Amino acid sequence: MVNVPPYAASLNWYGCWYGFRMKGLPDNEAIAEANRRCKISGKAFARTYVGNAEAPLVLSVAVDGGASRLKRKGTEEWVKLSLHGNWPHTHLGGLEALYGRCPYYQHIIPGLREVYMDLPATLRDFNLSVHRWLASFLQTDFQFLHPESEQAVMDSVLMHKILRRGEEIASMLSKELSVIDALMRFGPETNLVLLGHTSLSFSI
């Protein structure tokens, strides 16, 4: 199984990943299962979509030998990054232009900037670094919902309110865009969207 996450994966991918994490899978296994469920392969490991869902901005990571190398299964595990086109600068500029005025930009961008400015050698390590930063804003233990007990969290009335809020936020998002879009706009409440996605796809 491929346990390399896509670059700044979509909200849909994170919904799958979130569900597997809540089922108790460690991060690397949840990544692999989300890749399988979302049928991630080839160039999908090196690109993400942000901005307007109708005409999204495509952010592509440059790799040695070009993106066509990723067509060969397993290449995402070892292929090295290239600085062709100075894409880290372009990606940071694109994110600032799109999300600079969003309420959570100042919280999300510092960790991303650190990764872009001190690039790992390989696509695998770069994607994992981005994933770990984004995932640090996503709770999978229910504690963000209720501090007292897991049983209280599962109370049907409380869950109804939580899922209702999650649905409200989800209606303003595109599941095909990077989870960055949701985090920039809704921050920790992105958890509620993923929890709603999980409740539809998994038995909790």
Side-chain angles (χ1 to χ4, degrees):
M1 294 192 296
V2 181
N3 57 8
V4 179
Y7 167 45
S10 69
L11 186 63
N12 184 58
W13 185 92
Y14 268 99
C16 294
W17 169 85
Y18 193 87
F20 285 116
R21 290 288 284 137
M22 287 180 60
K23 286 174 72 71
L25 270 64
D27 190 41
N28 65 323
E29 292 183 25
I31 289 171
E33 290 294 345
N35 285 342
R36 179 184 58 81
R37 180 170 287 239
C38 296
K39 300 180 180 179
I40 302 298
S41 64
K43 296 179 182 179
F45 284 104
R47 65 175 51 162
T48 193
Y49 302 87
V50 292
N52 187 328
E54 299 301 319
L57 174 64
V58 183
L59 300 180
S60 297
V61 176
V63 298
D64 279 352
S68 60
R69 295 190 73 181
L70 292 169
K71 292 180 180 179
R72 183 177 178 181
K73 187 175 181 180
T75 306
E76 69 281 345
E77 296 275 1
W78 54 265
V79 71
K80 292 184 177 181
L81 296 179
S82 165
L83 287 177
H84 179 73
N86 195 17
W87 61 267
H89 176 76
T90 300
H91 289 202
L92 284 172
L95 292 176
E96 181 177 9
L98 289 168
Y99 302 114
R101 294 186 178 182
C102 286
Y104 292 94
Y105 176 82
Q106 295 300 330
H107 300 280
I108 307 299
I109 204 63
L112 290 177
R113 185 180 291 115
E114 285 185 17
V115 177
Y116 287 119
M117 294 295 97
D118 188 18
L119 286 178
T122 65
L123 177 66
R124 173 190 177 86
D125 289 342
F126 172 71
N127 285 5
L128 281 170
S129 294
V130 171
H131 164 70
R132 287 167 183 154
W133 175 248
L134 298 177
S136 70
F137 295 92
L138 306 174
Q139 303 299 316
T140 57
D141 60 2
F142 287 124
Q143 296 307 307
F144 73 98
L145 296 174
H146 199 289
E148 296 179 4
S149 72
E150 190 169 284
Q151 184 60 42
V153 170
M154 298 309 295
D155 175 82
S156 60
V157 175
L158 177 58
M159 283 301 296
H160 177 73
K161 292 180 179 179
I162 290 168
L163 294 177
R164 188 172 181 179
R165 175 56 179 162
E167 290 174 359
E168 179 184 349
I169 298 172
S171 69
M172 295 180 274
L173 298 170
S174 168
K175 291 185 178 181
E176 303 309 312
L177 293 180
S178 170
V179 73
I180 287 175
D181 181 76
L183 286 170
M184 290 289 191
R185 296 166 61 187
F186 295 101
E189 283 194 301
T190 302
N191 286 285
L192 306 186
V193 178
L194 299 180
L195 184 63
H197 183 288
T198 297
S199 71
L200 296 176
S201 304
F202 298 88
S203 176
I204 300 174

